[in-house]
Amino acid sequence: MGLKFDEICIDARDATALGTWWAEVLGWPHGVDDDGDVRLHPPPGAGPDWIFIAVPDEKVVKNRIHLDFRPDDQQVEVDRLIAMGAKHVDIGQGEQSWVVLADPEGNEFCVLAPDD
């Protein structure tokens, strides 16, 4: 018996707004299914679909899992994400080579330094 990593499910207070935000950030197509969930479709080989599911509660604590992204130019990407509505967050990381940001609903993610 084997497992296939099929999708990432993300709870969201406003699934449409957050799913659309991430679709724009990543440049991936997206759609809304019959349940009102927003599904992002990565390019072939770029990983599983992301599904944004509406939930009634707000995010209240630091994520127990987060996403890391490695851009070609870290500062350009951080500036772009901030302009799109991401915010810098301090989760106790101290001085590091990565930048911790949060999406519009407060979900933390990291923008890593480019590979050398």
Side-chain angles (χ1 to χ4, degrees):
M1 179 170 99
L3 291 174
K4 176 186 171 202
F5 187 22
D6 192 59
E7 52 197 27
I8 297 172
C9 300
I10 302 164
D11 291 348
R13 182 81 171 156
D14 185 340
T16 301
L18 192 61
T20 300
W21 187 85
W22 276 105
E24 290 174 13
V25 163
L26 297 168
W28 293 355
H30 68 288
V32 179
D33 66 20
D34 293 339
D35 294 326
D37 302 330
V38 177
R39 182 179 294 268
L40 276 61
H41 306 285
D49 282 1
W50 292 19
I51 301 174
F52 293 82
I53 302 166
V55 296
D57 50 318
E58 301 282 336
K59 179 185 176 296
V60 292
V61 298
K62 177 183 170 294
N63 295 1
R64 295 296 300 253
I65 187 170
H66 70 268
L67 304 171
D68 287 347
F69 299 95
R70 188 174 308 276
D72 294 330
D73 186 316
Q74 183 185 47
Q75 191 58 56
V76 167
E77 192 62 24
V78 167
D79 291 345
R80 181 181 79 90
L81 293 165
I82 296 293
M84 293 179 75
K87 293 183 176 22
H88 284 278
V89 292
D90 183 351
I91 55 170
Q93 68 269 18
E95 291 294 321
Q96 301 295 334
S97 62
W98 60 85
V99 177
V100 182
L101 299 176
D103 70 19
E105 287 202 12
N107 300 299
E108 301 92 3
F109 61 96
C110 293
V111 180
L112 307 176
D115 284 330
D116 293 324

